[in-house]
């Protein structure tokens, strides 16, 4: 009971932390560093650092000692699945039964996606990687729904500035929301019928950990002398890894939930130090390592893929978050966890808004429909867990060019209505768009792309519909602009009324 | 004698010449002590030479004291310009110390509640925070309101409007007893100048309608709306002379150390235009608002109080 309760408490704390981080990054962003440091994929996918190596080593060591504890208390997707299973158990106590060992499929899949990722094709990995998948569920479904509730509460509480009103409202993106909702439905379906089958047949982190968990020192095992094969332990097993007839537990698939420990009337099942090879114990031949190596070898072929087929040469369509560099770098680094989507105060980092190709599906890019890239904000570059958006200090970010202005005079209000507007120039932080004299004493926008940073302020505020008269186009490579020295204004006499 | 001293001497001589300045100064002090009827007050007050808060104190005294505008128990709305994510020294938002002083005086006068908001251009939390205004309002005992959500706005009719027939106005604008409009004076790429009238674009939800349907006419039309500012105060301590209303750097600013105050929103903008080195005819919305009967654009017909600190 103690172990199970400890696991539950730790799991609830972790899951709460993840939800808070994604739902209200403005208030709980500080938790991110502490929570993300436990994540295997973030350490593995991030830039090489000794600290990352240390984290990976710690997780592997933990698994070698105690089994897949990572999967039961640290992995956000594992915790989400536990929550789904918990809800199911409110309605039915039906067991998942003993599930087939899909290790061949699992290792092949993991080997392939990791191999492809190492060759710069990140999409397959990011689709099934647990942190990214959990992030998308939280950022794209939970966060927008929660914010709607926060805004509703703020409305009831009156118009004063308060915590609820400060939530940043994100629009649902029809394509992306459908994808994420579909992944939630699929995950729930798997979960409701086969328990934690995702963890033992799809999850790449799970695949790595099960290779080690197989030999873990502390493990759940059955004392064959006491066991009467009644099946009560297997009934509560979320991984379906207990074979009660043979009185064996497949440790590679055991996700250390400890549900089984207290069910046995004969104290035949326990979590204890066990000597010897797990292979012999469970008696199941697993072609794991061979399949894994096969997967890696097969996908090494991706390295030989002509570089021309990779996203660098795909049509230039997306404006990337400031710090992303260029499309090729970003596509090869971003695991689509959508933390930046959840955290962006202006709600301009959008998943799947304008994608340059299949490989960057679900990767975020900027849309100025609901806001502009605020000049003083560099939040996304500070928080990207895999540094796909590289850190850039605020003073530099002000001059980082992420797109370029394009002005279509023929549909501009000043031209078509013959009235003053100037909304674009008004919002431009560098005066890359400025108003110059035009016919009939009007002022008309004039652009200077050389000092445009592509922040989208002009596009955001332009009142022309459906197509806007001023838009920001993507650029190949993010660069810094140089602001020209400003002329000094003539000094004015103080204390002298001009009227 | 350097240039500055020469100008100071010249302006003193000019002030002494028309004799209005010293006389009205005395009148201002007298009225501050004992408020008379509104007709006794100047139409427009200009103060120069102090900090924004000091100049406000001087101007409000000359206008008859805050008690003339704020009665005990009344709900007051103070509407500064908080449009941009800029620091106070960048001159893009109304000076926080001025906002603070106004709120303090309103509360001293017995105001039931003093509220502040602006429908900002940049992200509202960044604007409220970096402008220093949220802090100033808090310190003064006022209440900061949100203005980013459509649900906070109510649709109203503007019967006298030529283009702007209906618009959505912030609820606090509609349910306040007293409205103090306190913009900062700046150059404006689209509207030429932003001061008192243009500042009222921050109380409606759909600014794009203005921009796409004759900006100047819409700005003028809103001045005919039944609920009008009780008092207009223009912060012209630092004035953004170009690249406005956002500004590129502090090189766009000049220090004028001025403050204007009037109940006439057209007159105050006409005077403000002079500080911007523009005539009222350069700014179409001033003429249009005058045509709609929202105020006077002939400064020579007005009683102007010019105070130097």
């Amino acid at each position: 009971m103690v172990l199970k309760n400890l696991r539950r408490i730790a799991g609830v704390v972790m899951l709460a932390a993840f939800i808070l981080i994604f739902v209200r990054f403005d208030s709980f962003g500080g938790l991110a560093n502490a929570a993300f440091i436990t994540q295997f994929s973030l350490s593995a996918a991030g830039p090489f650092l000794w600290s990352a190596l240390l984290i990976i080593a710690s997780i592997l060591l933990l698994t070698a000692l105690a089994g897949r504890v990572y999967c039961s208390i640290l992995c956000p997707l594992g915790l989400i699945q536990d929550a789904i299973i918990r809800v199911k158990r409110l309605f039915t106590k039906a067991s998942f039964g003993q599930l087939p060992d899909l290790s061949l499929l699992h290792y092949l899949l993991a080997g392939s996606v990791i191999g492809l990722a190492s060759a710069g094709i990140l999409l397959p990995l990011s689709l099934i990687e647990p942190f990214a998948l959990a992030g998308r569920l939280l950022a794209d479904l939970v966060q927008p729904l929660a914010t709607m509730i926060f805004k509703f509460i703020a409305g009831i509480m009156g118009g004063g500035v308060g915590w609820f009103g400060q939530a940043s409202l994100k629009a649902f993106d029809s394509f992306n929301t459908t994808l994420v909702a579909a992944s939630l439905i699929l995950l729930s379906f798997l979960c409701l019928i086969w328990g934690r089958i995702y963890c033992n047949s799809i999850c790449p982190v799970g695949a790595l950990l099960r290779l080690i968990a197989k030999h873990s020192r502390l493990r759940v095992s059955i004392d064959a002398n006491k066991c009467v094969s009644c099946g009560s332990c297997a009934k509560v097993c979320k991984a379906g890894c207990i074979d009660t007839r043979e009185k064996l537990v497949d440790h590679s698939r055991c996700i250390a939930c400890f549900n089984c420990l207290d069910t046995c009337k004969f104290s035949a099942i326990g979590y204890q130090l066990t000597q010897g090879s797990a292979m012999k114990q469970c008696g199941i031949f697993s072609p794991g390592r061979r399949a894994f190596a096969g997967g890696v070898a097969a996908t090494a072929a991706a390295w030989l893929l002509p570089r021309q087929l990779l996203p660098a040469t795909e049509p230039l369509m997306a404006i990337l978050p400031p710090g992303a560099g260029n499309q090729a770098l970003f596509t090869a680094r971003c695991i689509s966890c959508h933390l930046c989507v959840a955290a962006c105060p202006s709600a301009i980092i959008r998943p799947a808004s304008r994608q340059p190709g299949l490989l960057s599906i679900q990767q975020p890019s900027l849309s100025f429909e609901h806001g502009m890239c605020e000049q003083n904000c560099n939040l996304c570059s500070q928080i990207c867990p895999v540094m796909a958006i590289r850190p850039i200090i605020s003073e530099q970010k002000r001059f980082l060019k992420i797109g370029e202005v394009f002005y279509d005079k023929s549909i501009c209000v000043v031209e078509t209505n013959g009235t003053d507007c100037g909304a674009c120039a008004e919002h431009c932080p560098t005066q890359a768009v400025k108003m110059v004299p035009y016919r009939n004493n009007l002022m008309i926008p004039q652009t200077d792309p050389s000092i445009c940073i592509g922040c989208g302020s002009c596009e955001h505020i332009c009142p022309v519909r459906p197509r806007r008269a001023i838009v920001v186009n993507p650029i190949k490579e993010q660069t810094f602009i140089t602001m020209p020295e400003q002329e000094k204004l003539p000094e004015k006499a103080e204390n002298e009324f001009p009227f | 004698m350097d240039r500055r001293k020469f100008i100071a001497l010249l302006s003193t001589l000019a002030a002494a010449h028309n004799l209005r300045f010293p006389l009205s100064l005395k009148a201002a002090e007298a009225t501050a002590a004992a408020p008379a009827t509104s007709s006794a007050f100047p139409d427009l007050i200009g103060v120069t030479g102090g900090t924004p808060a000091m100049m406000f104190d001087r101007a409000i005294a000359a206008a008859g004291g805050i008690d003339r505008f704020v009665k005990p128990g009344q709900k007051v709305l103070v509407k500064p310009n908080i449009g941009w994510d800029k620091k106070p020294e960048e001159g893009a938002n109304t000076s926080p110390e001025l906002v603070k002083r106004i709120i303090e005086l309103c509360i001293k006068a017995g105001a039931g509640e003093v509220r502040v908001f602006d429908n900002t251009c940049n992200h509202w939390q960044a604007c409220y925070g970096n402008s220093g205004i949220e802090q100033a309002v808090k310190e003064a005992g006022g209440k900061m309101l949100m203005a980013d959500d459509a649900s906070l706005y109510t649709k109203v009719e503007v019967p006298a409007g030529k283009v702007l027939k209906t618009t959505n106005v912030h609820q606090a604008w509609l349910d306040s007893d007293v409205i103090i409009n306190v913009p900062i004076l700046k150059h404006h790429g689209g509207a030429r100048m932003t001061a008192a009238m243009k500042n009222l674009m921050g109380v409606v939800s759909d600014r794009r309608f203005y921009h796409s349907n004759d900006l100047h006419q819409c700005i003028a039309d809103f001045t005919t709306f039944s609920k009008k500012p009780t008092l207009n105060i223009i912060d012209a301590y630092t004035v953004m002379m170009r690249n406005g209303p956002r500004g590129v750097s502090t090189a766009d600013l000049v220090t004028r150390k001025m403050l204007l105050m009037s109940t006439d929103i057209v007159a105050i903008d006409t005077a403000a235009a002079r500080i911007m080195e523009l005539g009222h005819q350069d700014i179409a919305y001033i003429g249009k608002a005058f045509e709609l009967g929202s105020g006077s654009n002939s400064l020579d017909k007005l009683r102007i109080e010019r105070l130097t600190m």
Side-chain angles (χ1 to χ4, degrees):
Chain A
M1 211 60 185
V2 178
L3 277 177
K4 184 177 160 186
N5 283 342
L6 277 177
R7 186 268 298 170
R8 275 185 171 169
I9 293 165
V12 167
V13 169
M14 268 320 265
L15 185 59
F18 277 108
I19 292 174
L20 290 176
I21 290 164
F22 274 87
V23 168
R24 286 302 294 269
F25 193 88
D26 56 336
S27 300
F28 301 105
L31 281 177
N33 285 334
F36 294 175
I37 209 167
T38 64
Q39 295 301 301
F40 187 90
S41 315
L42 299 190
S43 304
F48 177 81
L49 294 169
W50 289 107
S51 56
L53 204 66
L54 195 69
I55 291 162
I56 294 175
S58 309
I59 294 170
L60 297 182
L61 196 66
L62 174 72
T63 313
L65 283 174
R68 289 169 66 181
V69 179
Y70 178 88
C71 305
S72 61
I73 61 173
L74 294 178
C75 172
L77 198 69
L79 297 167
I80 289 173
Q81 293 179 82
D82 277 358
I84 295 170
I85 293 169
R86 183 88 201 113
V87 171
K88 182 200 171 185
R89 293 231 158 119
L90 293 178
F91 298 99
T92 167
K93 300 278 181 208
S95 145
F96 297 118
Q98 194 191 337
L99 298 171
D101 178 17
L102 301 170
S103 52
L104 182 64
L105 166 81
H106 196 186
Y107 291 129
L108 262 176
L109 193 60
S112 315
V113 297
I114 293 168
L116 282 167
S118 72
I121 300 170
L122 205 55
L123 176 72
L125 178 67
S126 65
L127 282 177
I128 59 172
E129 196 284 316
F131 176 80
L133 195 46
R136 290 196 293 273
L137 295 177
L138 294 173
D140 303 344
L141 295 176
V142 179
Q143 203 266 2
L145 286 172
T147 308
M148 283 159 80
I149 296 169
F150 290 147
K151 289 284 181 189
F152 179 75
I153 297 172
I156 295 173
M157 290 170 63
V161 172
W163 188 78
F164 288 103
Q166 283 166 346
S168 161
L169 198 60
K170 308 287 196 300
F172 287 107
D173 174 282
S174 51
F175 174 70
N176 178 69
T177 308
T178 311
L179 269 184
V180 176
S183 68
L184 178 63
I185 291 168
L186 190 66
L187 184 73
S188 306
F189 176 77
L190 291 175
C191 237
L192 292 176
I193 301 185
W194 295 298
R196 297 272 293 253
I197 189 118
Y198 159 86
C199 311
N200 285 323
S201 60
I202 300 172
C203 178
V205 180
L208 280 171
L209 296 187
R210 69 186 279 193
L211 281 172
I212 296 162
K214 215 183 277 183
H215 309 287
S216 67
R217 297 288 98 187
L218 275 166
R219 61 175 81 135
V220 175
S221 53
I222 296 173
D223 183 343
N225 299 325
K226 291 183 188 167
C227 176
V228 297
S229 299
C230 70
S232 53
C233 54
K235 236 181 186 169
V236 294
C237 179
K238 287 189 281 198
C241 66
I242 305 176
D243 183 346
T244 45
R245 251 186 327 171
E246 299 289 328
K247 304 179 184 181
L248 291 171
V249 178
D250 181 356
H251 312 107
S252 75
R253 284 190 285 150
C254 169
I255 44 103
C257 72
F258 309 127
N259 278 356
C260 54
L261 298 185
D262 303 307
T263 57
C264 186
K265 288 180 194 130
F266 310 97
S267 306
I269 195 160
Y271 180 63
Q272 55 224 345
L273 263 177
T274 313
Q275 295 297 321
S277 159
M279 298 285 280
K280 272 179 220 151
Q281 272 245 315
C282 67
I284 301 165
F285 170 67
S286 163
R289 274 167 290 190
R290 264 168 263 177
F292 193 89
V296 173
T299 51
W303 282 97
L304 306 171
L305 209 69
R307 294 289 111 177
Q308 287 82 350
L309 296 181
L310 288 178
T313 50
E314 285 179 340
L316 210 55
M317 276 179 67
I319 300 165
L320 301 173
N326 60 49
Q327 187 68 61
L329 268 178
F330 189 63
T331 310
R333 279 182 180 170
C334 169
I335 58 166
S336 310
C337 72
H338 292 188
L339 179 67
C340 55
V341 175
C344 177
S346 317
I348 58 161
I349 306 186
R350 309 288 304 134
S353 50
R354 284 196 279 185
Q355 293 313 344
L358 189 66
L359 281 183
S360 31
I361 228 170
Q362 291 200 316
Q363 281 188 343
S365 60
L366 305 194
S367 154
F368 302 121
E369 176 75 29
H370 301 288
M372 61 198 106
C373 187
E374 298 278 346
Q375 199 186 14
N376 296 331
C377 176
N378 62 344
L379 189 62
C380 55
S381 88
Q382 302 294 305
I383 61 166
C384 178
V386 294
M387 290 200 198
I389 311 171
R390 285 162 298 172
I392 176 164
I393 60 169
S394 182
E395 286 71 28
Q396 288 185 336
K397 189 257 169 183
R398 298 161 68 94
F399 303 109
L400 180 67
K401 185 187 187 77
I402 58 172
E404 191 161 285
V405 63
F406 173 77
Y407 170 57
D408 185 351
K409 186 175 150 191
S410 69
I411 55 170
C412 176
V413 164
V414 182
E415 180 71 18
T416 55
N417 295 8
T419 55
D420 270 320
C421 172
C424 50
E426 179 182 333
H427 280 67
C428 180
T430 63
Q431 289 295 294
V433 189
K434 62 177 181 189
M435 303 307 285
V436 295
Y438 195 50
R439 63 177 184 228
N440 302 334
N441 200 27
L442 292 169
M443 301 287 267
I444 196 153
Q446 186 184 63
T447 59
D448 177 0
S450 73
I451 54 168
C452 172
I453 54 170
C455 66
S457 300
C458 53
E459 178 178 331
H460 170 62
I461 200 65
C462 178
V464 181
R465 295 292 184 280
R467 200 159 60 81
R468 302 184 188 203
I470 194 160
V471 293
V472 173
N473 285 332
I475 51 169
K476 276 195 174 136
E477 182 86 37
Q478 296 182 346
T479 52
F480 289 99
I481 59 156
T482 313
M483 283 295 283
E485 192 81 18
Q486 279 200 287
E487 267 178 60
K488 272 196 174 166
L489 282 165
E491 263 187 60
K492 287 287 168 315
E494 288 171 9
N495 303 352
E496 189 184 24
F497 289 106
F499 50 85
Chain B
M1 185 182 290
D2 65 18
R3 189 164 148 269
R4 186 166 291 204
K5 274 185 186 155
F6 172 69
I7 289 161
L9 177 68
L10 203 70
S11 51
T12 315
L13 286 172
H17 172 68
N18 65 20
L19 287 178
R20 290 171 69 187
F21 164 52
L23 280 180
S24 51
L25 189 64
K26 277 175 200 147
E29 281 159 357
T31 50
T37 56
S38 62
S39 58
F41 299 112
D43 301 310
L44 175 71
I45 299 161
V47 189
T48 181
T51 66
M54 283 159 62
M55 292 191 291
F56 166 72
D57 282 349
R58 190 65 171 273
I60 197 72
I66 191 77
D67 302 331
R68 182 183 150 203
F69 304 99
V70 180
K71 304 279 179 277
Q74 282 187 320
K75 263 190 183 177
V76 180
L77 171 69
V78 176
K79 166 61 180 76
N81 185 338
I82 329 174
W84 305 99
D85 176 12
K86 295 265 192 184
K87 297 192 188 80
E89 61 270 22
E90 293 178 286
N93 303 311
T94 306
S95 151
E97 68 150 288
L98 174 59
V99 176
K100 186 176 175 183
R101 187 70 189 136
I102 294 170
I103 298 171
E104 283 170 353
L105 276 201
C106 290
I107 289 173
K108 219 169 149 189
E113 191 178 28
V114 185
R115 298 177 296 173
V116 178
F117 78 87
D118 191 13
N119 186 4
T120 62
C121 299
N122 283 139
H123 191 261
W124 68 278
Q125 289 169 42
C127 295
Y128 279 19
N130 265 343
S131 67
I133 290 182
E134 187 170 16
Q135 181 68 22
V137 170
K138 214 167 145 188
E139 284 170 8
K143 186 180 179 190
M144 206 75 195
L145 300 182
M146 294 193 300
D148 73 317
D149 201 283
S151 68
L152 301 164
Y153 293 77
T154 307
K155 191 173 182 179
V156 298
E157 307 271 326
V158 188
K162 284 187 176 165
V163 177
L164 192 76
K165 299 280 185 194
T166 64
T167 189
N168 292 309
V169 179
H170 196 286
Q171 193 54 43
W173 181 271
L174 301 174
D175 64 23
S176 291
D177 305 307
V178 178
I179 296 169
I180 300 175
N181 179 25
V182 48
I184 184 168
L185 178 61
K186 290 183 292 180
H187 164 256
H188 194 286
R192 310 293 201 277
M193 170 185 95
T194 169
M197 282 191 258
K198 177 74 180 62
N199 192 39
L200 302 189
M201 267 178 88
V203 308
V204 302
S205 61
D206 189 6
R207 283 194 290 263
R208 287 190 186 82
F209 179 88
Y210 279 53
H211 279 288
S212 52
N213 293 280
D214 194 347
L215 180 64
H216 288 288
Q217 190 62 54
C218 289
I219 294 170
D221 283 353
F222 190 76
T223 63
T224 67
F225 178 52
S226 53
K227 191 75 172 253
K228 298 180 203 313
T230 319
L231 184 65
N232 302 286
I233 300 161
I234 294 179
D235 174 7
Y237 186 87
T238 51
V239 180
M240 189 181 288
M241 298 299 289
R242 65 178 179 210
N243 296 335
R246 184 168 177 162
V248 172
S249 75
T250 47
D252 299 324
L253 309 176
V254 292
T255 306
R256 295 302 297 264
K257 293 191 183 174
M258 283 184 192
L259 181 135
L260 306 178
M261 183 182 284
S262 178
T263 54
D264 183 333
I265 199 166
V266 183
I268 199 170
D269 272 5
T270 309
R274 299 269 181 90
I275 302 178
M276 293 301 301
E277 294 162 351
L278 294 167
H280 63 79
Q281 62 284 348
D282 294 324
I283 302 156
Y285 64 77
I286 294 183
K288 288 174 191 286
F290 169 71
E291 281 166 29
L292 289 165
S294 293
S296 166
N297 62 356
S298 327
L299 293 181
D300 48 358
K301 288 180 193 153
L302 299 175
R303 254 199 74 204
I304 302 177
E305 190 94 63
R306 295 172 182 82
L307 308 170
T308 303
M309 299 183 80

